Amino acid sequence: MEREITRAYTTTVDSYAEMLARTSTHGAYEEGRAAAYQEEGQNMWRFVGPVDERSRPDHSALVGEHFTYGTPESDMGLSLLHEPNCRHRAIVFF
């Protein structure tokens, strides 16, 4: 589904602050989960989440991929989870 944007984007300070709060909360949650997984001895994780018209192409490309904590690829995947309005997650890969 494609849609052409015909009007300028506007927002309020409250909406922007809420988006920043959700983004930082999501990032902190994912970092906490990653630390807990590593303490349990789980060193592999998988990038999961929706693939739809709202998903960013770089996020959609990683859905289903598995990574090992501490590698450059893993760090890149984890950094995507800190982007605004990200709906994806990192789960343990067995």
Side-chain angles (χ1 to χ4, degrees):
M1 176 166 135
E2 291 186 25
R3 190 181 313 175
E4 184 177 330
I5 299 173
T6 57
R7 58 184 179 171
Y9 175 77
T10 60
T11 188
T12 64
V13 171
D14 290 338
S15 295
Y16 188 69
E18 181 185 352
M19 183 272 301
L20 289 177
R22 282 193 321 266
T23 300
S24 63
T25 302
H26 177 68
Y29 177 75
E30 290 301 326
E31 285 180 21
R33 285 175 47 146
Y37 291 155
Q38 292 176 49
E39 285 178 10
E40 294 173 359
Q42 304 292 336
N43 62 349
M44 306 254 327
W45 65 278
R46 186 170 23 167
F47 196 92
V48 297
V51 177
D52 56 18
E53 68 275 357
R54 290 177 44 204
S55 299
R56 296 178 186 98
D58 51 343
H59 292 220
S60 296
L62 293 182
V63 169
E65 295 292 323
H66 63 277
F67 302 95
T68 302
Y69 286 112
T71 62
E73 294 84 8
S74 174
D75 295 342
M76 182 273 307
L78 291 171
S79 71
L80 293 180
L81 299 175
H82 291 275
E83 291 185 359
N85 298 320
C86 178
R87 300 176 293 148
H88 296 90
R89 301 278 183 261
I91 63 170
V92 172
F93 178 77
F94 296 101

